[in-house]
């Protein structure tokens, strides 16, 4: 899922290294092979409750929630109006392209005239995320103050020197070398103006010194040295040379506070570190990176329980993706799954059985099988297994089984473009108009005309329904193939029910595809922003009607599933023969094996759109500050930007003219999250709203242009300003790049599947579920030995084991492959742990020690 845009002035970014890390080759390796470290986050912001009310007569709040990596906002929910227990129910999924210390969720109160008010937050350390994975948890909201909102790290060196004074006595001097900081936050959308205060603090002293202010940088290089006397000359003896007196060393500490210079306004606290001088007890020097920490009084309050709670479902993954050759045996075993008889004995099905949450298994499985054209036979086989347990034709494919979840995920992956060409124009019209469609008498506002509202709602339903039933030519082939199989199997399972073959298809395409996309257009990238509350209500009414219209049973049997009387009355408008025949014809067309004409040759594929900032294309000599907000739109043919959505393009870059897409160094314009589109004219410099959004744009632009001729092999990582490239100081604007272009990505612009990553995810899931796999293996042995009736529930009663012998053999293969894959993973972990020494830049003090 794409991250919602957050305005740069609300964003604070920390360091943004690439999402890949290179491992040194093991002893005996013949070449340098790369291990990619890939992070992803998915989950759901469910709801909040018991939020603090306003003190005035209107106690309700208009609330929304954000997701932040440290201080950088990467996702924002819709606003829920007039509630102290807002129900968000928003799912999210995105890759994380950089390191981070905290994942935070902030609850805001929307304010139209002033800055939005932060009510409270949930902050989870990166190393603690796994303990919350895959389960819904209520978190108490914590208070927010400027002293607790910190990010970044400091590079520090301490030394002890021996000094001989003018009178010949000897004393000790502490040397504090503050070298640099990294990953400081943005202030009001711009790089900060940081400086540091360096203090030696003890029971009876507080000596403070200050660095110079560094302008417009989140990664300042201070390189300043400060001197403090730490022992009196009378304390010196020859035996204690270069050692601090015991009574002093336990009481003295160096404190470094980072500040943003506010010039005419108050300076802003950025974080602090405290280092006891006794780190030099056994050595005369100490050098390390430290994570900035909040102040002692930051985040302390006696009213922490009064702010309310937030219910979240979080799943964070960090995968170490090895070179492709390591995954051959596991991929082969998984891709054989559709051919295994029975399907319940296949590796893919066993993975779904042993995972605590089937959703964890579904995403990588579907992507891998889809990539190798194995999804249709596998989905057909598991759906057939579902049908064996279905006794009532009216409940066909209504549960959350492995089959239904696989098909849901498949439709999300392959059906994105289908939804855009079918639903987006009408959803744009609905979201941008102000027509009231409320027909619930209880919800009607003063002055509303319910008959007019019914006409408005019917107009939208008819228009959307008409577009859907005429869209069969755009339905992806994979979806059609699976729908054909479902239809045939349903007819065989219930031969006396003439409607069930259509219900089997409509339960997916209407109930789980179109209806869901209508009510949540932002989730399916059909709208750039979350609709407001009145629009959501309109979409909900439309979605309910479309869902019931598409339900073959409701139409053919002249009944509806509505509980509300007003919806039952409204639906009577659609219980006509014409609607029944239209749905039947559409379901026939999308579940047919007849070859369709390609619908993608004449119409460009819509890939991505969103609001970002672009630098002027060299039209002014003062262009350094000339960044303007523009609406960007990418199709398979061109990249354009517009003043507003729906307006004419101000600038167009044909995709065939793109030569490279790369990140741009922050120092070019003192801005974070920038990238450059290098094409046949001047480079286009773009600032995304956060690191996740920048990563997504770079990925999709690289994919769509990967096969272009004349792509560059090198580029300039910085901008061309004032007559030279900032990176290499070359004066010619046409000078060859000074840095190699990053490696290419998969060329399939509609379905971007990294099969090694998906196989690594599956390996991780098997590893996490080894105990349950072991129980399943034991269950197979027990079943094989004892064939009598099962009298009491036991550990394996929840497993689907149709053929214990075949299942046992598959489990043995899985365990053998996992054991072999464990070896290179363990070698990499050890190497990574030894290279990231505690106190290094990659593993600073204050984080989790390796």
């Amino acid at each position: 899922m794409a991250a919602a845009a957050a305005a740069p002035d609300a964003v604070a970014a920390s360091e943004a290294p690439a999402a890949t890390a290179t491992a040194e080759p093991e002893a005996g390796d013949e070449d340098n092979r790369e291990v990619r470290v890939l992070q992803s986050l998915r989950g759901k912001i469910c709801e909040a409750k018991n939020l603090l009310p306003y003190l005035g007569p209107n106690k309700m709040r208009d609330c929304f929630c954000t997701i932040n990596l440290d201080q950088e906002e990467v996702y924002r929910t819709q606003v829920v109006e007039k509630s102290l227990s807002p129900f968000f129910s928003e799912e999210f999924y995105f890759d994380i392209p950089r390191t981070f210390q905290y994942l935070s969720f902030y609850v805001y109160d929307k304010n139209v005239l002033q800055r939005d008010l932060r009510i409270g937050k949930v902050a989870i350390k990166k190393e603690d995320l796994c303990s919350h994975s895959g389960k819904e948890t209520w978190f108490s909201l914590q208070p927010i103050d400027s002293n607790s909102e910190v990010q970044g790290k400091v590079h520090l060196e301490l030394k002890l020197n021996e000094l001989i004074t003018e009178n010949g006595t000897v004393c000790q001097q502490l040397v504090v070398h503050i070298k640099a900081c990294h990953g400081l936050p943005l202030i009001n959308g711009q790089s900060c103006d940081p400086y540091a205060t360096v203090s030696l603090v003890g029971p009876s002293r507080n000596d403070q010194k200050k660095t110079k202010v560094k302008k417009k940088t989140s990664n300042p290089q201070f390189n300043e040295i400060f001197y403090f006397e730490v022992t009196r000359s009378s304390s010196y003896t020859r035996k204690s040379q270069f050692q601090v007196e015991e009574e002093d060393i336990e009481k003295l500490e160096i404190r470094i506070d980072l500040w943003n210079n506010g010039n005419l306004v108050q300076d802003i606290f950025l974080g602090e570190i405290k280092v006891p001088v006794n780190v030099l007890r056994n050595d005369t020097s100490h050098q390390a990176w430290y994570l900035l920490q909040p102040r002692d009084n930051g985040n302390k309050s006696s009213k922490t329980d009064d702010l309310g709670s937030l219910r979240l479902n979080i799943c964070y993954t960090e995968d170490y993706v090895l070179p492709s050759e390591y995954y051959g045996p596991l991929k082969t075993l998984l891709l054989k799954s559709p051919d295994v008889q029975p399907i319940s004995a296949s590796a893919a099905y066993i993975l779904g059985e042993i995972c605590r949450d089937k959703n964890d298994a579904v995403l990588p499985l579907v992507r891998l099988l889809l990539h190798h054209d194995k999804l249709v036979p596998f989905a057909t086989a598991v759906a057939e297994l579902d049908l064996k347990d279905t006794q009532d034709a009216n409940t066909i494919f209504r549960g959350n089984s492995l089959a239904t979840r696989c098909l849901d995920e498949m439709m999300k992956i392959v059906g994105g473009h289908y939804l855009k060409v079918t639903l987006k124009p009408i959803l744009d019209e609905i979201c941008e108009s102000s027509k009231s469609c409320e027909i619930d008498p209880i919800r009607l506002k003063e002055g509303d005309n319910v008959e007019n509202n019914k006409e408005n709602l019917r107009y939208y339903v008819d228009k959307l329904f008409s577009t859907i039933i005429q869209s069969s030519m755009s339905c992806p082939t994979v979806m059609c193939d699976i729908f054909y199989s479902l239809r045939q199997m349903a007819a065989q399972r219930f031969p006396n029910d003439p409607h069930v073959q259509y219900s089997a298809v409509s339960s997916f395409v209407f109930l789980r595809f179109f209806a869901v996309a209508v009510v949540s257009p932002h989730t399916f990238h059909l709208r750039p922003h979350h609709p407001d509350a009145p629009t959501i209500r309109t979409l909900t009414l439309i979605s309910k009607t479309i869902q019931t219209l598409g339900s073959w049973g409701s139409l053919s049997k002249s009944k509806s599933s509505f509980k509300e009387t007003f919806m039952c009355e409204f639906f009577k408008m659609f219980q006509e023969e014409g609607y029944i025949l239209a749905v039947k014809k559409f379901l026939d067309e999308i579940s047919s094996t007849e070859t369709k004409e390609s619908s993608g040759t004449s119409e460009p594929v819509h890939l991505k759109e969103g609001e970002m900032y672009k630098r002027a294309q060299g039209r002014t000599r003062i262009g350094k500050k000339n960044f303007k907000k523009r609406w960007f739109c990418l199709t398979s043919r061109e990249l354009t930007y517009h003043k507003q959505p729906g307006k004419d393009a101000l600038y167009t870059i044909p995709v065939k003219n793109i030569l490279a897409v790369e990140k741009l160094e922050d120092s070019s314009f003192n801005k974070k999250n920038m990238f450059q589109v290098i094409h046949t004219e001047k480079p286009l410099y773009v600032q995304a709203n956060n690191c996740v959004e920048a990563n997504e744009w770079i990925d999709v632009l690289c994919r769509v242009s990967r096969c272009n001729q004349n792509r560059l092999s090198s580029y300039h990582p910085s901008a061309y300003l004032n007559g030279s490239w900032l990176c290499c100081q070359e004066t010619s604007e046409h000078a060859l790049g000074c840095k190699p272009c990053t490696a290419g990505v998969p060329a399939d612009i509609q379905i971007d599947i990294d099969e090694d990553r998906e196989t690594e995810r599956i390996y991780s899931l098997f590893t996490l579920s080894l105990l349950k796999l072991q129980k399943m293996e034991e269950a197979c042995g027990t079943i094989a030995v004892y064939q009598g009736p099962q009298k009491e529930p036991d550990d394996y009663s929840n497993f689907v084991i149709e053929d214990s012998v075949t299942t046992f053999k598959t489990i043995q293969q899985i365990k053998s492959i996992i054991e072999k894959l464990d070896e290179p993973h363990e070698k990499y972990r050890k190497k990574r742990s030894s290279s990231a020494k505690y106190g290094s830049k990659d593993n600073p003090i204050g984080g989790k020690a390796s």
Side-chain angles (χ1 to χ4, degrees):
M1 175 176 178
D9 61 1
V11 174
S14 69
E15 63 177 313
T20 60
T22 304
E24 294 295 325
E26 306 292 341
D29 278 358
E30 295 180 357
D31 56 356
N32 294 331
R33 291 180 293 180
E34 192 176 75
V35 175
R36 296 178 290 150
V37 182
L38 303 176
Q39 306 173 96
S40 64
L41 183 72
R42 70 171 175 84
K44 187 176 185 179
I45 301 174
C46 304
E47 61 179 318
K49 68 177 180 181
N50 302 328
L51 300 181
L52 278 176
Y54 275 123
L55 297 178
N58 180 16
K59 299 181 182 298
M60 297 295 103
R61 295 181 182 272
D62 298 337
C63 301
F64 66 92
C65 187
T66 68
I67 302 176
N68 290 49
L69 298 175
D70 296 321
Q71 297 301 298
E72 181 179 14
E73 181 183 319
V74 295
Y75 181 82
R76 180 177 293 206
T77 69
Q78 64 183 345
V79 177
V80 178
E81 296 181 341
K82 298 179 181 178
S83 176
L84 297 179
S85 297
F87 188 76
F88 299 110
S89 190
E90 291 202 23
E91 296 181 353
F92 54 86
Y93 175 81
F94 49 83
D95 290 329
I96 299 175
R98 65 170 179 85
T99 60
F100 66 99
Q101 185 181 1
Y102 282 91
L103 175 70
S104 300
F105 297 81
Y106 289 80
V107 178
Y108 282 81
D109 182 12
K110 183 73 175 176
N111 194 315
V112 177
L113 301 178
Q114 301 176 10
R115 294 189 67 176
D116 299 327
L117 174 66
R118 295 188 294 184
I119 299 173
K121 71 174 180 179
V122 173
I124 307 170
K125 277 190 173 183
K126 177 182 175 181
E127 54 264 29
D128 296 333
L129 285 171
C130 291
S131 63
H132 303 290
S133 183
K135 56 187 177 184
E136 287 189 359
T137 307
W138 279 102
F139 294 89
S140 295
L141 291 176
Q142 301 299 316
I144 302 167
D145 65 65
S146 59
N147 293 330
S148 67
E149 303 295 285
V150 302
Q151 71 175 56
K153 46 194 169 185
V154 181
H155 192 196
L156 178 71
E157 183 179 14
L158 302 180
K159 287 183 180 180
L160 277 175
N161 286 341
E162 181 184 86
L163 293 180
I164 301 177
T165 62
E166 293 181 355
N167 60 9
T169 58
V170 180
C171 68
Q172 297 254 340
Q173 185 183 61
L174 178 65
V175 182
V176 181
H177 183 184
I178 177 167
K179 295 188 172 185
C181 292
H182 195 88
L184 299 181
L186 299 182
I187 304 296
N188 297 325
Q190 302 292 327
S191 294
C192 55
D193 295 337
Y195 69 90
T197 59
V198 183
S199 306
L200 179 64
V201 182
S204 59
R205 62 189 297 180
N206 188 356
D207 302 340
Q208 186 178 96
K209 302 182 182 184
K210 177 181 172 182
T211 69
K212 295 177 182 177
V213 176
K214 298 295 182 180
K215 293 289 186 180
K216 301 298 179 188
T217 176
S218 296
N219 305 311
Q221 299 291 320
F222 290 111
N223 199 29
E224 294 192 39
I225 300 175
F226 302 95
Y227 301 92
F228 299 92
E229 184 180 329
V230 293
T231 56
R232 298 180 303 277
S233 57
S234 59
S235 68
Y236 170 76
T237 65
R238 286 293 175 186
K239 293 182 180 180
S240 63
Q241 187 175 9
F242 294 108
Q243 293 181 7
V244 180
E245 192 175 358
E246 289 294 323
E247 61 178 357
D248 287 338
I249 201 169
E250 300 298 336
K251 300 175 182 178
L252 296 177
E253 69 177 11
I254 286 293
R255 192 181 75 202
I256 296 177
D257 294 86
L258 266 293
W259 299 85
N260 177 65
N261 182 37
N263 291 322
L264 301 178
V265 297
Q266 186 176 1
D267 292 356
I268 298 174
F269 176 74
L270 301 179
E272 71 175 13
I273 64 167
K274 294 180 180 180
V275 184
V277 176
N278 65 11
V279 297
L280 295 169
R281 180 191 294 273
N282 299 317
D283 203 347
T284 56
S285 67
H286 168 76
Q287 182 175 183
W289 282 88
Y290 285 82
L291 278 177
L292 286 170
Q293 302 295 329
R295 275 185 179 158
D296 284 341
N297 63 343
N299 217 17
K300 286 187 179 179
S301 173
S302 60
K303 297 184 178 181
T304 54
D305 296 332
D306 300 334
L307 298 177
S309 304
L310 185 64
R311 183 161 62 96
L312 302 169
N313 189 330
I314 306 166
C315 183
Y316 167 78
T317 60
E318 183 177 65
D319 293 321
Y320 303 112
V321 184
L322 305 172
S324 294
E325 58 265 29
Y326 286 100
Y327 298 111
L330 182 55
K331 270 192 281 193
T332 300
L333 182 63
L334 290 164
L335 294 175
K336 286 180 180 177
S337 293
D339 304 318
V340 175
Q341 295 292 334
I343 192 66
S344 59
S346 67
Y349 193 92
I350 289 171
L351 178 65
E353 282 287 280
I354 64 175
C355 280
R356 182 175 62 182
D357 184 350
K358 278 186 171 60
N359 286 330
D360 292 339
V362 164
L363 181 60
L365 266 181
V366 168
R367 287 175 168 267
L368 183 65
L369 294 172
L370 195 59
H371 187 69
H372 290 274
D373 296 323
K374 296 286 187 178
L375 182 62
V376 174
F378 178 75
T380 301
V382 293
E384 188 173 15
L385 191 60
D386 260 17
L387 281 173
K388 288 181 181 179
D389 297 328
T390 305
Q391 304 303 321
D392 184 355
N394 292 320
T395 62
I396 190 168
F397 298 127
R398 293 297 178 92
N400 282 321
S401 63
L402 181 63
T404 57
R405 294 184 191 192
C406 282
L407 293 182
D408 286 348
E409 194 58 46
M410 174 274 296
M411 291 190 294
K412 286 181 184 177
I413 295 171
V414 305
H417 180 59
Y418 181 29
L419 288 175
K420 284 188 173 75
V421 299
T422 306
L423 301 185
K424 192 176 189 312
I426 304 170
L427 291 177
D428 287 343
E429 179 186 343
I430 295 168
C431 294
E432 291 164 13
S433 72
S434 56
K435 290 181 180 180
S436 176
C437 296
E438 185 56 72
I439 59 174
D440 183 354
I442 299 175
R443 292 173 175 255
L444 288 174
K445 297 179 181 178
E446 188 177 348
D448 277 355
N449 185 316
V450 69
E451 294 304 320
N452 287 344
N453 291 358
K454 279 185 180 179
E455 286 303 314
N456 292 339
L457 184 58
R458 177 164 187 174
Y459 165 76
Y460 286 140
V461 170
D462 273 333
K463 191 169 185 179
L464 201 61
F465 178 75
S466 176
T467 304
I468 289 173
I469 62 173
Q470 295 174 31
S471 68
S472 60
M473 294 298 291
S474 299
C475 187
T477 304
V478 174
M479 289 173 62
C480 294
D481 290 344
I482 290 182
F483 292 156
Y484 173 78
S485 297
L486 295 178
R487 182 175 170 178
Q488 301 303 310
M489 289 188 297
Q492 291 172 12
R493 178 69 179 84
F494 299 100
N496 298 323
D497 189 331
H499 306 301
V500 71
Q501 60 176 315
Y502 296 107
S503 299
V505 179
S506 66
S507 63
F508 283 103
V509 73
F510 278 102
L511 273 66
R512 294 173 176 266
F513 187 58
F514 285 124
V516 178
V518 168
V519 81
S520 303
H522 179 76
T523 304
F524 290 83
H525 314 300
L526 301 175
R527 290 291 297 169
H529 303 293
H530 298 287
D532 57 27
T535 305
I536 290 174
R537 176 61 180 165
T538 298
L539 294 174
T540 301
L541 294 173
I542 295 171
S543 177
K544 283 184 174 184
T545 313
I546 290 293
Q547 176 178 321
T548 310
L549 270 173
S551 176
W552 179 255
S554 296
L555 284 173
S556 59
K557 299 173 185 177
S558 298
K559 66 177 184 178
S560 72
S561 57
F562 293 117
K563 297 177 182 178
E564 308 98 330
T565 304
F566 65 89
M567 286 301 294
C568 290
E569 289 297 316
F570 175 69
F571 191 71
K572 288 179 181 178
M573 299 179 178
F574 303 94
Q575 289 179 320
E576 300 172 1
E577 186 71 17
Y579 288 100
I580 298 175
L581 295 176
V583 171
K584 180 179 182 297
K585 179 175 180 292
F586 172 69
L587 295 176
D588 280 334
E589 290 171 346
I590 64 170
S591 58
S592 168
T593 56
E594 294 179 6
T595 304
K596 295 182 175 66
E597 295 179 8
S598 174
S599 59
T601 54
S602 60
E603 186 175 6
V605 178
H606 183 282
L607 299 173
K608 190 170 178 62
E609 63 181 351
E611 196 171 68
M612 296 186 290
Y613 292 76
K614 65 91 188 176
R615 185 192 177 229
Q617 291 286 291
R619 300 185 185 98
T620 171
R621 293 191 63 83
I622 56 172
K624 187 171 183 179
K625 295 182 179 179
N626 192 6
F627 278 80
K628 293 183 178 179
K629 187 185 294 185
R630 290 290 182 258
W631 185 261
F632 285 77
C633 182
L634 176 66
T635 71
S636 53
R637 290 184 184 173
E638 60 190 19
L639 172 68
T640 57
Y641 63 72
H642 315 248
K643 199 165 188 178
Q644 293 176 348
K647 299 292 184 182
D648 292 339
L650 299 174
Y651 193 76
T652 300
I653 302 175
V655 163
K656 63 182 181 181
N657 291 350
I658 295 176
L659 305 177
V661 183
E662 299 287 348
K663 291 181 179 179
L664 189 70
E665 290 181 353
D666 299 347
S667 58
S668 296
F669 300 104
N670 291 317
K671 294 180 182 291
K672 288 280 189 181
N673 305 317
M674 289 205 65
F675 63 92
Q676 53 183 319
V677 181
I678 306 169
H679 58 115
T680 49
E681 299 179 18
K682 289 180 180 292
L684 175 64
Y685 298 131
V686 183
Q687 183 190 22
N689 295 293
N690 55 65
C691 65
V692 171
E693 185 181 68
N695 188 59
E696 290 174 347
W697 274 101
I698 292 171
D699 280 351
V700 72
L701 282 164
C702 284
R703 276 188 275 124
V704 75
S705 62
R706 183 174 183 260
C707 297
N708 287 355
Q709 294 182 350
N710 303 320
R711 277 186 64 89
L712 298 180
S713 57
S714 61
Y715 75 106
H716 292 283
S718 290
Y720 184 82
L721 291 175
N722 302 321
S724 67
W725 291 99
L726 299 180
C727 43
C728 59
Q729 307 305 314
E730 284 284 344
T731 55
S732 171
E733 193 170 359
H734 303 290
L736 291 176
C738 57
K739 185 176 181 179
C741 286
T742 52
V745 292
D748 187 339
I749 62 172
Q750 296 185 57
I751 305 172
D752 176 19
I753 294 174
D754 181 344
E755 60 175 322
D756 289 340
R757 182 180 188 177
E758 306 306 339
T759 312
E760 169 62 27
R761 183 92 293 271
I762 292 169
Y763 156 76
S764 298
L765 292 171
F766 274 128
T767 302
L768 291 170
S769 307
L770 278 178
L771 285 177
K772 209 165 181 183
L773 188 67
Q774 181 69 32
K775 284 187 177 182
M776 196 174 188
E777 183 182 35
E778 293 169 359
C780 290
T782 303
I783 293 170
V785 172
Y786 175 67
Q787 298 292 341
Q790 205 172 297
K791 296 179 181 179
E792 296 180 1
D794 50 32
D795 284 343
Y796 62 84
S797 59
N798 292 324
F799 294 130
V800 176
I801 303 176
E802 297 176 288
D803 183 332
S804 59
V805 175
T806 307
T807 304
F808 183 86
K809 289 179 179 178
T810 304
I811 292 173
Q812 289 286 301
Q813 290 177 293
I814 292 170
K815 289 176 66 177
S816 174
I817 290 170
I818 297 306
E819 286 176 8
K820 289 179 181 177
L821 268 173
D822 283 341
E823 295 177 11
H825 280 88
E826 186 58 31
K827 284 182 180 179
Y828 175 70
R829 287 190 192 97
K830 287 181 179 178
K831 185 171 286 289
R832 190 167 184 257
S833 177
S834 62
S835 63
K837 180 183 176 183
Y838 193 49
S840 66
K841 189 175 182 179
D842 292 333
N843 191 12
I845 295 172
K848 185 177 180 181
S850 295

